[in-house]
């Protein structure tokens, strides 16, 4: 039978000293502090990508529905002029000039926007597409026009430009 003997005094011991433990914690703290800003930037970039993807999906759906229904389909904020509240795609059955959702209009789909997103007050009140899929003026006079939506998250922004033909271009993250 073998017996374990205790280590002799002053010999090797198991464990870490307090100084070694504090050194490791200091290095970990420095690494976490260095990684936090890049993590925040990554989250902001992801929110911008998600939001612009929702905008482009809503525009593509509106164009397709306008062509399919041979009429005007609008994309507008869910709440008043606040695009960050979400997007509403609806068929303009009554073809009123305001593109407001009326009793005769058909809601096609709603899109959510990422949290902490915002849009400048210069954003258009709504977008509209005619039976040819063109981006038309809100007065519904048939004049194709260019439109721009700029989404902001944590002081960074990304722009979606909608051309006269209804094509979309997504700008870089600024």
């Amino acid at each position: 039978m073998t017996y374990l003997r205790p280590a002799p005094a002053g010999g090797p011991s198991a464990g870490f000293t307090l100084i070694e433990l504090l050194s490791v914690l200091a290095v970990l703290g420095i690494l976490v502090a260095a990684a936090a800003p890049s993590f925040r930037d990554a989250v902001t970039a992801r929110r911008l990508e998600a939001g612009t993807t929702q905008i482009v999906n809503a525009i593509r759906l509106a164009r397709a529905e306008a062509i399919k229904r041979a009429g005007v389909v609008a994309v507008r904020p869910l709440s008043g002029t606040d695009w960050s509240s979400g997007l509403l795609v609806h068929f303009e059955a009554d073809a009123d000039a305001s593109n407001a959702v009326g009793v005769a209009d058909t809601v096609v789909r709603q899109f959510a926007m990422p949290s902490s997103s915002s849009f400048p007050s210069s954003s258009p009140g709504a977008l509209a597409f005619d039976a040819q899929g063109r981006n038309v003026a809100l007065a519904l006079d048939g004049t194709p026009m260019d439109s721009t939506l700029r989404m902001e998250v944590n002081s960074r922004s990304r722009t979606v430009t909608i051309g006269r033909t209804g094509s979309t271009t997504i700008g870089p993250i600024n």
Side-chain angles (χ1 to χ4, degrees), residues 113-132:
M113 294 304 292
S115 63
S116 73
S117 64
S118 64
F119 292 80
S121 59
S122 61
S123 297
L127 303 169
F129 300 90
D130 66 8
Q132 287 79 38

Side-chain angles (χ1 to χ4, degrees), residues 17-86:
T17 66
L18 183 59
I19 293 176
E20 290 171 331
L21 205 57
L22 290 176
S23 298
V24 168
L25 287 176
V27 169
L28 280 175
I30 291 169
L31 291 175
V32 167
S38 64
F39 179 72
R40 187 182 62 146
D41 288 345
V43 169
T44 298
R46 178 64 189 117
R47 285 184 179 158
L48 283 169
E49 288 173 15
T52 53
T53 298
Q54 290 290 67
I55 293 168
V56 170
N57 287 342
I59 290 167
R60 287 180 179 162
L61 176 64
R63 285 189 70 219
E65 286 291 321
I67 293 167
K68 179 175 92 174
R69 295 172 188 248
V72 175
V73 175
V75 179
R76 63 179 316 100
L78 274 174
S79 174
T81 59
D82 181 16
W83 288 91
S84 61
S85 65

